Every structure is written in structure tokens, then in C-alpha cells.
């Protein structure tokens, strides 16, 4: 009898991803194309990931030059690399044991990098102090989130631990909660009000959990994923007051803070909290997460993320530190990516001009994309899109005809998964179905990445528009 | 806002004010306490949501000695030295962690060239880079989303890399096939080990999964088992037989454990950490037979497979031995074996590269290969020499006995401590070998890890030291430890 027949029930309880069916089909289609099978498209546009490089965006030159020089210090002797690149690489190597990125670092991260990250946070937050001792660099922000959840979720308690999270939430977060033996308490963002987070809805969600679990934390993601909303200050204050009143630990996922397109500005939960003054500013327990994977850098593969802990019980924080020690440390390349993200070239530096050009280009591309997407989608029957204020995705709603919904049921699929599968097969576009993330009963959505080159987006929209019109006709 | 420094938060006081239930408050160094203003404002005090009582109790049991209190103290001392504080030494020698580059080992040139090319592909135009490095880089970039190492990969790891790993394993094991689909790339071997354990730990009460692990062990295992709330089943390696593994001991441990849990996993570290022993082929066969008999999942931690020095010792991969035992075993025994870029001659710890396999030459090219092989050989030879030196030196000290360092990169000598020292330690609430190591750190600036961090037979004491420092420095370290040990014994006689 296989030992593996008995496995952890927590793992068994993690729901299977909708994505798997689409991923399998994608693999087949890619193979077909490689073998020269004729299809209505020459290549697949895969926008199911929040991954700018995969989508065709270019890495920032300064970042890659510094990385190369850190990896292969022979390049420091070379005059081909700009002087600020070489200087930065030297400085970073000085912070590495044995001057090598192949050494372990201190648990939370290289101290000099933690110091610079804390200074970045303070600058960002208009001077609110940030202490490097409260920052832990990890192998990606999701890894850090899982670690913090590990401390919050008490699988041994009589009552299951509950974590409030958006009903439409990217799967890694909900999987982490379930995998640790916790339960997700979903709250719905108000789609008609631009995916606004309304505190009455938080109240309702909390009440629904009464007697079913022990709510300990509230997870918010701002800017959002999959919905691309940016919270207003007022909304954030309400969330903070709610967390305080209801005694909830606040988990603020802010990895998309670098992706802002509209008029709304990003302000961090930490800043809003500080500005609310005591007693809230001294008592609300907060963990905020950031990453080198999003924003203009888009270095998802380098695995660089961090968590900043605010107002934690020092005795508990000591145990959190212990927990992090078992990971040894975050990958050095990820730490370096964070350093570069938080300390880019400044005006006057030799690399500044190119850096600025590259980031401005990315920014204007995405702003253009957002506009185009909303125009295109809102111009189609059975398709509507709230404004994308931030984040990496568009999350339009598809108003599926009854026939399509029935057909999907007949083949045993979620209706929007069915839509996405057909979109992939007929138009060569891979988007993610809303059912992957959760959504209000009876509504359907698709999510696709908009951090892609403009010409790719135009092609995507061309194919999507054509497909959608046909789909609606076929199932009317 | 309260900014707490966890490492310095050693003092606690209990504050009691009107309207507040008394609770512990840690002295904050940076900002004045705010509790009084809360009481004055009449706002009700609010206890924290996340406290020692409400947090996951399993996390409180997690300890990882390799980065534990002694290392934290070492970091403080280094800070003090930087600030100009006078000490009996000018630098702290960190012989606690298996980090080769930190100790001066040079990275392998070819590897760094490929990595540089992958990270900044403009360098593909640079004629200072050799063709084979460029070819390898292009191959890797072709397999990355958007031709960038900044793209996410599939969770299991980039396919062409898994294919390369499979080929490596096949070569190592004399042609026994390896399927890339059975290979999972991970953030260091530790990540894969924890993932596997996460999968296997289940059940409640007496049905709770029991995991067998050696004593002494690498403390990631005990930490992970504590975190997962699994039952740890200790089997003792025999110090008198050069840390050999006796199946009778496995049987004893298993049978005793059946009372309180359901044993399902057997973990073995070969070559050993902290002990450095390399198990014989016979031993490996016996372990495989035992695992099959008792229906255990075998986890073979083989990250030190390229670190074997002692004459007559050879690394035998569990997979190879398994297949050579025939289909009765190779078709049924469930196993995961782990490897890493952090150890061996590469020593690339900072990259956090590892994998697990779940079961079941043109004259220019030759020149590169020769160069590579020679770099590799030089590194291993140096380690072998240091291993020998260490064993010799420690065995000359009365009160220290040291088994031969056959492999890995550590020595785990046994120290005899005078009774007075043991008593003193108990008075201070310390484990005796922790007292020993703390004194060594404070007096000589040498950072080791106490044996209690790895587990040891009751009443015995050890420390773990890496043999990575450059030879000249290592000699100095060995002498200092010798002198310290004699002083210590004298002081507590």
C-alpha cells in the first residue's frame, strides 16, 4: 500500500486550480504549433500570469547590468559598464560575505540592503520611521505572507482560524490559508462602485463567520488583484478602524504599489495608520508586503520580496525571526533586485537617462493599454469593464448568454473557464477565468495581464473582440 | 508607533494602570513607552491580537541552532568590533555555517559566466566570454518566458533545467534512467524537504505521522517537524563506530514510537550533517530493506554527495543502490532524494538552488573541461586536507575526541566537560555545551554551534565546526580551541 495514500488533509483541502485544465490545453496547442499544425493564429498570447517579462516587456538595463557585475565581478574591471553600475555592484558585493553573491546572508537580509529598504519605506511614507529590524526579505512576497499566516493560523485550536480575504482573490493567498489548516472568510468588493471595499461588507462577512471559525486576520490587497482598484484614504481608514475594533491582524499586500495609472495616488497602510495617530497607530498590528516582481522592474523570477511588521508583540516577533531562520536567507539575487528597486539611479547618475527613458516608456505603455482595454471591452455587447486604476490586470465582466452557461454545465466546466478554453483554442489567447479567483454567484469574469507591449495588447484586443462577437452570436 | 528590536528585547516589565489589565511590556530602546498616555486618555487598553497565547503553538517550538542565539550574539560582537570596542580578538571567525564563499572559497568561473550572460544578455556580444558559456546561456534563456530570467517559471521548475538535472543524475548513477517529470526544483534543498514533510504529515493523536530522523541531525528537520506538529522519532548514530547507522537501532526507535504515533517517514542524511560520516553500501542496502519492510517513505538528504574525502569512503546514492537491489525494491520503495547547489565544490549557498527527485569533446572544449575539473579538484583536495588536520589536532587535546571527517564540511567532536561546568551551566539555565560555546565566542571570537542544537546522546556534549576557513586560519582556530579547552577544563576543575 502506498505511503502516499495517506497525506496531509490540509494539502488535500487545497482546491485544485481551474488553471490546470487550461494549462494542459496550452501545452498541447504550443506543441501543435511547433509541429506546424495549422491554426487561426501563429503564436499564443499568454496573459494569464502577472508576469511582464513573459508578456514581452524588457528588463531594465541598469538592473541587469548591476546583477551581471555582481555575479561575475570580472566585469568590474571592464570599462564597458557605466561607472554607477560598477560602483553599485561594488557596494553590494561589499555587503556579501566573502564578497560573493553565493554566500548566505543574515536571516532577514543583507543589513545594508535592509537599511536602504527601510529608508525607501520612510521616504515613500512622508517620513514615517521604518526600522530595518522589522523588515524581513524573503523568497517572494507570497513566501513571506505564508510565513506570517503560519504564525496566525492555529491548526490545533478547537475553532478553525479564519482569515477575511476578498471573494475575488488570487489563488496563492487562499491556497496558503487553506494549506495551513485555516479557512477563508470571503468579502465582496463592490464591482459597480469600481470594486470599492465597503466596510459594511466586511461587517457582514465577519458576522457570517460567527460560530463557524475564529477570525484572526484581515487580508487586503491594494492596488488590487484581480480587480485593479486603488483604495481611497477614507476607505483605508475605515478598514483600519474595523481591524482595531474587531481585533483583527491586518495583512496589507501592496506589491502593486508601483503600478498606478489613474488619478488616485497610492498611499501605504502604514502611512495611513501613522497619520491616524494614537491609540490606533500604536496598537493595530500590521504586516505589509512588497516585491520586486511587479512594477516597472517586473523581476518575478528573481524571487525578491519583503514584509514589514508594525506594532507586533516583541515576544511573538522573536518567534517569527526563528521561523525565518529555518529558510536560511532569501536568494541574494532577489535581495539585490529589491535594493535596486528601492534605490534606482538618480538624476545626474550616468545610467539615469536610459533608466528614466525605459521606465517612462513602460509607464506610458501601460497607461495606453488601460485606456485601450476599457474602450474596447466597454464597446462590446455582453462585456463590461470597471476602470483599471492600478495593478497588473484587467478584470472585465462577461455577461454570458444562458445557452453558453448551459453548454459549460454540460461539459462539466465553469462557464467562464469554458469561455477561456474556447478563447484559447479559437483565438490563441490565454486569459484566466474569474472562477479561478472567486466571484459573486452568477457573475463571470476573465482576467488578463496588461503589463505587456502595446502592440501585443492591440493584437490581443483584436483577437478578443473578434472572438467575443462570434461567441455571443453562436450562443444567442 | 512602536519600533521593537527583537534581538535586544531581553527585559520585560509588567505594567498595571487603571483601566488596563496588567500585561507584559517590553522595554523599548528607541521610543518612550506609550502605555501611560493610553491610560491617561481613558482609552481602554487593548491587548495584542497576536500574542504568545494566540499564535500557532507549533511555531513556538521551532528552533534552528545554526542561526540561533549564539550566532545572534556573534553578530552583536562583530558590530561592537566595528564600533571599536576592544576585545581579545580582532574578528569573529564564523565556523558555524556551511558557507564556503564566506570563508574565501572562489566561485567556479564557468558557472558565474553563464549566470552573468543570462542576467544581462547584451554580454552575448562580448568576445571575452567563451563560446560554451554563451551556448549554455542561450539555451537557458530560450527556456525562460520572454527570454528573461525575470519571468516566472512553472512551479516545478524550468523544463530544460529539469532535463539537465535528470541527465546529471543518470550519469552519476551509471545510466539508471531519471525522468525530468520526477524532478522538482526548489529554493534550496530545505524548501523541498519541508514541502515533502508538509505533504506527508497527517493524522491525529496516535495516528499522527511519525518521522524518523538521526540524532545528531541537521536542525531543519526538527524545526519543520515542530512547525508541522509531527512526531519526531529519534534514532541514534553510533559515535563509537564513527557515527555509523545500525539497523537494530532503527528498529528499536520505530517500535518504541508505535505506541504514540504512526511512523511513516525515514529521513537519512548521507554524507552526514553534523557528523560527516559517509555510510557504507551495506548500510544503505539495510536501510532500504528496513524502509520497505516497515512501509516507510524514504527521504535521502544527499546534499553533501560531492564532499567525500576519506580514503576508502565512497558516496553511494540511495537511488542507485535501490535499483541495483532489483525490481522487488526499485519498483516499490517510495523515495525522495535531495541535492543542492549550496554545498560541494560550487558552494553557491546564496542562490538558494536545490532539487528533489521523487521515486522511482574539440581541444577548446577539453581545455575548458580541464580548467573546470582542476578548479573542482583543488577545492576538494583542500577540504580533504583540512578534514585530516582537524581530526588530528582535536584528538591531541585531552577531553576532545574527534571521529574522522569523511565527508560534508563539518566536524562534530565530542567534548568532556568537568562536572563543575555542567553545574554552572544548569545554574545559568543553559545547556552545558551552549555555555562552552558562548565562552569560546566571548573569549576567542570563534563562533561554533553547540551539539545540543543537533541532538546528542544524553550526557554527551559536542560542538559543530565547519572546516571551511582557509588552511592557515583554520590552524589558528584549532590552536585557539585547544588552548581554550585546556583553560576551560582548568577553570572548572
Amino acid at each position: 500500500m502506498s505511503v502516499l495514500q495517506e497525506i496531509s488533509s490540509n494539502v488535500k483541502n487545497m482546491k485544485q486550480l481551474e488553471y490546470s485544465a487550461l494549462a494542459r490545453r496550452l501545452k498541447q496547442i504550443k506543441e501543435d504549433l511547433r509541429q506546424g499544425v495549422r491554426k487561426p493564429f501563429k503564436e499564443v498570447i499568454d496573459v494569464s500570469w502577472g508576469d511582464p517579462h513573459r508578456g514581452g516587456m524588457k528588463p531594465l538595463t541598469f538592473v541587469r547590468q548591476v546583477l551581471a557585475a555582481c555575479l561575475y565581478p570580472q566585469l568590474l574591471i571592464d570599462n564597458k559598464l557605466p561607472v554607477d553600475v560598477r560602483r553599485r555592484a561594488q557596494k553590494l558585493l561589499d555587503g556579501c560575505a566573502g564578497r560573493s553573491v553565493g554566500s548566505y546572508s543574515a536571516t532577514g537580509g543583507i543589513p545594508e540592503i535592509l537599511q536602504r529598504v527601510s529608508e525607501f519605506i520612510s521616504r515613500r511614507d512622508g517620513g514615517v520611521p521604518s526600522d530595518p529590524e522589522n523588515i524581513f526579505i524573503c523568497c517572494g512576497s507570497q513566501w513571506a505572507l505564508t510565513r506570517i499566516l503560519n504564525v496566525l493560523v492555529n491548526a490545533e485550536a478547537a475553532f478553525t482560524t479564519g482569515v477575511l480575504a476578498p471573494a475575488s482573490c488570487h489563488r496563492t493567498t487562499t491556497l496558503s490559508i487553506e494549506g495551513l489548516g485555516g479557512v477563508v472568510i470571503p468579502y465582496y468588493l463592490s464591482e459597480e462602485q469600481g470594486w470599492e471595499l465597503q466596510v459594511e461588507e466586511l461587517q457582514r462577512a465577519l458576522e457570517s463567520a460567527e460560530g463557524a471559525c475564529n477570525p484572526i486576520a484581515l487580508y487586503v490587497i491594494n492596488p488590487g488583484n484581480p480587480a485593479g482598484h486603488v483604495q481611497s484614504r477614507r476607505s483605508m481608514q475605515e478598514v483600519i478602524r474595523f481591524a482595531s475594533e474587531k481585533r483583527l491582524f491586518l495583512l496589507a499586500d501592496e506589491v502593486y504599489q508601483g503600478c498606478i495609472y489613474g488619478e488616485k495616488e497610492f498611499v501605504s497602510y502604514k502611512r495611513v495608520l501613522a497619520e491616524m495617530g494614537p491609540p490606533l497607530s500604536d496598537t493595530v498590528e500590521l504586516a505589509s508586503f512588497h516585491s520586486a516582481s511587479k512594477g516597472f522592474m517586473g523581476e518575478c523570477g528573481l524571487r525578491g520580496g519583503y514584509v514589514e511588521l508594525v506594532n507586533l508583540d516583541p515576544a511573538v516577533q522573536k518567534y517569527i525571526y526563528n521561523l525565518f531562520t529555518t529558510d536560511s536567507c532569501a536568494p541574494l539575487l532577489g535581495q539585490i533586485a529589491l535594493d535596486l528597486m528601492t534605490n534606482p539611479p538618480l538624476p545626474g547618475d550616468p545610467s539615469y537617462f536610459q533608466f528614466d527613458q525605459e521606465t517612462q516608456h513602460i509607464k506610458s505603455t501601460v497607461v495606453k493599454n488601460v485606456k485601450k482595454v476599457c474602450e474596447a471591452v466597454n464597446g462590446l455587447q455582453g462585456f463590461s469593464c470597471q476602470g483599471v486604476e492600478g495593478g497588473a490586470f484587467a478584470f472585465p465582466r462577461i455577461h454570458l448568454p444562458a445557452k453558453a452557461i448551459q453548454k459549460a454545465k454540460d461539459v462539466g466546466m465553469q462557464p467562464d473557464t469554458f469561455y477561456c478554453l474556447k478563447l484559447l483554442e479559437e483565438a490563441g489567447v490565454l486569459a484566466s477565468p474569474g472562477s479561478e479567483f472567486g466571484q459573486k454567484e452568477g457573475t463571470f469574469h476573465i482576467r488578463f495581464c496588461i503589463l505587456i507591449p502595446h502592440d501585443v495588447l492591440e493584437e490581443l484586443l483584436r483577437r478578443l473582440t473578434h472572438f467575443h462577437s462570434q461567441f455571443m452570436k453562436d450562443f444567442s | 508607533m512602536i519600533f521593537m528590536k527583537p534581538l535586544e528585547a531581553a527585559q520585560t516589565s509588567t505594567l498595571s494602570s487603571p483601566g488596563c489589565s496588567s500585561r507584559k511590556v517590553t522595554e523599548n530602546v528607541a521610543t518612550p513607552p506609550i502605555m501611560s498616555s493610553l491610560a491617561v486618555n481613558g482609552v481602554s487598553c487593548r491587548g495584542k491580537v497576536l500574542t504568545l497565547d494566540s499564535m500557532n503553538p507549533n511555531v513556538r517550538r521551532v528552533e534552528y541552532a545554526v542561526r540561533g542565539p549564539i550566532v545572534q550574539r556573534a553578530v552583536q560582537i562583530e558590530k561592537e568590533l566595528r564600533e571599536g570596542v576592544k576585545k581579545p580578538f580582532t574578528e569573529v571567525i564564523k565556523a558555524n555555517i556551511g558557507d564556503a564563499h564566506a570563508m574565501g572559497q572562489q566561485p567556479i568561473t564557468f558557472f558565474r559566466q553563464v549566470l552573468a550572460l543570462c542576467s544581462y544578455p547584451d554580454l552575448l556580444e562580448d568576445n571575452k566570454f567563451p563560446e560554451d558559456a554563451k551556448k549554455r546561456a542561450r539555451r537557458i534563456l530560450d527556456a525562460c518566458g520572454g527570454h528573461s530570467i525575470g519571468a516566472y517559471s512553472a512551479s516545478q521548475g524550468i523544463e530544460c533545467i529539469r532535463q539537465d538535472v535528470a541527465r546529471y543524475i543518470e550519469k552519476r548513477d551509471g545510466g539508471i534512467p531519471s525522468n525530468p517529470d520526477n524532478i522538482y526544483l526548489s529554493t534550496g534543498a530545505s524548501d523541498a524537504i519541508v514541502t515533502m514533510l508538509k505533504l506527508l504529515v497527517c493524522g491525529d493523536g496516535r495516528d499522527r505521522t511519525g518521522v524518523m530522523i538521526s540524532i545528531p541531525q541537521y536542525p531543519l528537520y526538527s524545526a519543520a517537524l515542530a512547525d508541522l506538529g509531527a512526531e519526531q522519532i529519534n534514532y541514534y548514530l553510533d559515535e563509537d563506530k564513527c557515527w555509523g547507522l545500525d539497523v537494530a537501532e532503527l528498529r528499536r526507535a520505530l517500535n518504541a514510537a508505535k505506541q504514540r504515533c504512526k511512523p511513516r517517514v525515514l529521513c537519512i542524511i548521507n554524507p552526514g550533517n553534523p557528523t560527516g560520516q559517509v555510510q557504507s553500501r551495506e548500510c544503505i542496502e539495510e536501510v532500504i530493506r528496513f524502509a520497505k519492510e516497515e512501509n516507510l517513505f524514504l527521504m535521502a538528504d544527499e546534499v553533501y554527495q560531492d564532499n567525500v574525502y576519506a580514503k576508502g569512503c565512497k558516496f553511494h546514492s540511495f537511488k542507485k543502490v535501490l535499483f541495483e537491489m532489483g525490481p522487488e525494491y526499485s519498483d516499490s520503495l517510495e523515495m525522495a532524494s535531495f541535492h543542492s547547489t549550496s554545498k560541494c565544490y560550487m558552494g553557491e549557498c546564496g542562490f538558494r538552488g536545490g532539487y528533489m527527485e521523487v521515486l522511482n569533446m574539440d581541444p577548446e572544449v577539453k581545455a575548458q573541461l580541464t580548467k573546470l575539473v582542476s578548479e573542482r579538484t583543488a577545492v576538494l583536495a583542500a577540504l580533504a586536507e583540512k578534514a585530516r588536520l582537524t581530526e588530528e589536532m582535536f584528538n591531541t587535546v585531552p577531553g576532545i575526541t574527534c571521529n574522522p571527517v569523511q565527508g560534508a564540511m563539518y566536524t562534530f567532536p565530542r567534548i568532556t566537560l568537568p562536572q563543575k561546568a555542567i553545574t554552572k551551566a544548569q545554574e545559568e539555565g543553559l545547556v552545558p555545551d551552549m555555555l562552552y560555546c558562548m565562552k569560546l565566542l566571548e573569549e576567542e571570537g570563534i563562533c561554533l554551534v553547540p551539539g545540543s542544537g543537533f541532538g546528542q546522546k544524553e550526557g554527551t556534549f559536542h560542538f559543530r565546526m565547519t572546516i571551511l576557513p582557509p588552511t592557515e586560519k583554520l590552524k589558528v582556530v584549532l590552536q585557539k580551541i585547544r588552548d581554550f579547552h585546556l583553560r576551560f577544563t582548568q577553570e572548572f576543575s
Side-chain angles (χ1 to χ4, degrees), chain A residues 3 6 51 53 100 102 104 285, chain B residues 49 99 101 148 152 264 349:
Chain A
V3 176
E6 300 164 42
D51 185 344
H53 294 190
S100 164
Y104 289 118
E285 290 145 85
Chain B
V49 172
D99 187 341
H101 291 195
S148 163
Y152 287 119
R264 301 179 60 232
C349 314

Side-chain angles (χ1 to χ4, degrees), chain A residues 273-292:
Chain A
L273 179 62
E275 289 170 353
M276 288 171 89
L280 289 169
S281 59
D282 296 326
T283 55
V284 174
E285 290 145 85
L286 167 68
S288 62
F289 302 88
H290 196 12
S291 163

Side-chain angles (χ1 to χ4, degrees), chain A residues 1-9 11 27 49-51 53-54 56 58-59 61 64-65 67-68 70-73 75 78 80-81 97-107 128-131 133-134 139 143 146-147 150-156 180 216 243-245 247-249 270 273-274 279 281-285 293-294 298-303 308 310-323 325-333, chain B residues 1-9 26 30 34 37-38 43 46-64 67 72 97-107 109 112-113 115-123 126-129 145-155 159 181 187 190-191 194 196 198-202 208 218 220 223 227-229 262 264-265 295-297 334 342-343 347-352 358:
Chain A
M1 190 208 59
S2 167
V3 176
L4 285 177
Q5 268 173 27
E6 300 164 42
I7 62 163
S8 159
S9 53
V11 174
K27 202 170 174 199
W49 300 66
D51 185 344
H53 294 190
R54 172 182 286 253
K58 296 284 162 241
T61 305
R64 294 309 188 82
Q65 285 174 335
L67 280 172
C70 288
L71 284 163
Y72 188 54
L75 290 168
D78 210 318
K80 285 208 205 84
L81 293 176
R99 296 197 93 243
S100 164
V101 295
S103 306
Y104 289 118
S105 77
T107 295
V128 175
S130 169
D131 187 340
E133 301 276 345
N134 294 330
C139 183
W143 181 293
T146 305
R147 280 282 179 230
N150 191 5
V151 183
L152 287 164
V153 175
N154 187 348
E156 318 249 307
L180 289 163
I216 196 166
S244 176
E245 259 170 67
R247 294 182 51 70
L248 297 167
F249 188 103
K270 187 178 174 207
L273 179 62
S281 59
D282 296 326
T283 55
V284 174
E285 290 145 85
S293 301
K294 313 298 172 186
E299 296 285 6
C300 312
L302 293 183
R303 314 314 300 126
E308 185 183 23
V310 177
N311 288 335
L312 262 69
D313 182 340
V316 173
Q317 194 155 321
K318 186 165 169 297
Y319 285 108
I320 292 176
Y321 177 84
N322 279 0
L323 198 59
T325 63
T326 64
D327 295 330
S328 296
C329 66
L332 275 270
L333 292 191
Chain B
M1 289 191 151
I2 304 175
F3 298 101
M4 295 300 185
K5 296 185 190 310
L7 302 183
E8 292 167 28
T26 302
I34 49 88
S37 62
L38 269 185
V43 178
R46 172 184 177 279
K48 301 259 180 216
V49 172
L50 187 58
T51 61
L52 292 179
D53 292 323
S54 67
M55 68 181 279
N56 180 354
N58 289 342
V59 172
R60 289 178 66 172
R61 291 168 27 220
V62 170
E63 280 173 353
Y64 182 65
R67 284 176 175 253
Q72 291 165 28
I97 192 164
D99 187 341
H101 291 195
M103 290 287 116
Q105 181 178 309
Q106 292 305 302
T109 306
R112 292 306 187 86
Q113 286 171 335
L115 287 166
L117 288 163
C118 285
S119 63
Y120 184 47
D122 279 20
L123 294 171
D126 187 333
N127 57 16
K128 286 206 212 69
F129 286 84
H147 281 79
S148 163
I149 59 168
Y152 287 119
S153 76
S155 311
E159 186 160 356
D181 284 342
T187 305
S190 300
D191 175 26
V194 171
M196 214 49 235
K198 257 194 196 144
L199 189 66
L200 293 170
V201 172
C202 60
R208 193 74 178 152
Y218 173 54
L220 171 74
D227 189 21
L228 291 168
K262 187 144 188 242
R264 301 179 60 232
V265 188
N295 201 31
L296 299 170
F297 186 94
E334 289 152 279
S342 302
K343 312 301 169 185
E348 298 282 14
C349 314
F351 285 91
R352 318 303 300 112
V358 191

Side-chain angles (χ1 to χ4, degrees), chain B residues 63-325:
Chain B
E63 280 173 353
Y64 182 65
V66 177
R67 284 176 175 253
I70 202 162
V71 178
Q72 291 165 28
R73 177 80 188 113
V75 169
Q76 267 175 336
I77 293 177
E78 281 182 315
K79 188 158 181 263
E80 287 167 23
L81 283 170
R82 270 198 305 272
E83 290 164 0
V85 175
K86 288 246 102 181
K87 295 211 176 276
F89 45 86
T90 53
E91 60 161 343
V92 174
I93 298 176
K94 306 263 262 300
N96 56 299
I97 192 164
D99 187 341
H101 291 195
M103 290 287 116
Q105 181 178 309
Q106 292 305 302
I108 304 290
T109 306
F110 176 76
F111 299 149
R112 292 306 187 86
Q113 286 171 335
V114 173
L115 287 166
L117 288 163
C118 285
S119 63
Y120 184 47
D122 279 20
L123 294 171
L124 290 165
E125 312 302 314
D126 187 333
N127 57 16
K128 286 206 212 69
F129 286 84
E131 259 322 300
D132 57 353
K134 290 184 183 176
K135 190 160 166 228
R136 186 70 71 91
R138 280 195 193 99
R139 181 164 179 273
I140 292 169
L141 288 172
D142 279 348
C144 297
H147 281 79
S148 163
I149 59 168
Y152 287 119
S153 76
S155 311
Q156 200 174 338
I158 293 175
E159 186 160 356
C160 93
I161 292 182
R162 286 184 287 113
Q163 285 166 356
D164 288 349
V165 170
R167 266 205 298 274
Y168 160 84
I169 296 171
E170 283 173 2
K171 239 188 357 207
R172 180 198 69 186
D173 292 341
I176 295 165
S178 173
N179 186 344
D181 284 342
N182 292 335
I183 293 168
Y184 294 79
L185 305 183
S186 54
T187 305
S190 300
D191 175 26
I193 291 167
V194 171
T195 298
M196 214 49 235
L197 288 172
K198 257 194 196 144
L199 189 66
L200 293 170
V201 172
C202 60
D204 292 306
R206 280 190 58 176
D207 264 338
R208 193 74 178 152
T209 300
V211 177
M212 300 185 72
I213 181 64
S214 57
I215 295 299
Q217 46 106 33
Y218 173 54
L220 171 74
Y221 289 91
S222 50
L225 295 176
D227 189 21
L228 291 168
E231 284 293 315
Q232 182 170 330
I233 305 170
N234 297 333
Y235 63 87
Y236 289 83
L237 300 176
D238 193 342
E239 184 160 16
D240 297 331
K241 296 213 178 88
C242 207
W243 302 109
L245 170 53
D246 186 353
V247 173
E249 168 58 14
L250 285 179
R251 199 153 277 125
R252 178 212 61 76
L254 183 78
N255 289 334
K258 279 181 179 162
Q259 318 293 330
R260 60 182 166 92
C261 67
K262 187 144 188 242
R264 301 179 60 232
V265 188
L266 168 56
C267 298
I268 178 162
I269 308 171
N270 183 51
N273 178 5
T275 51
Q277 93 284 1
V278 178
Q279 301 296 355
S280 68
R281 201 212 155 80
E282 293 70 45
C283 172
I284 293 177
E285 282 183 13
E286 283 179 352
V287 169
I288 288 172
R289 256 179 234 117
F290 177 78
K292 181 161 151 65
E293 261 167 42
E294 303 290 343
N295 201 31
L296 299 170
F297 186 94
L298 188 55
M299 285 178 57
D301 183 341
E302 299 175 319
V303 301
Y304 294 102
Q305 58 188 266
D306 288 309
N307 296 83
V308 178
Y309 324 119
K311 271 208 179 69
C313 283
K314 188 165 177 254
F315 169 74
H316 301 277
S317 90
F318 265 87
K319 185 181 176 198
K320 181 164 195 231
V321 175
L322 179 70
F323 274 77
E324 287 170 356
M325 287 168 77

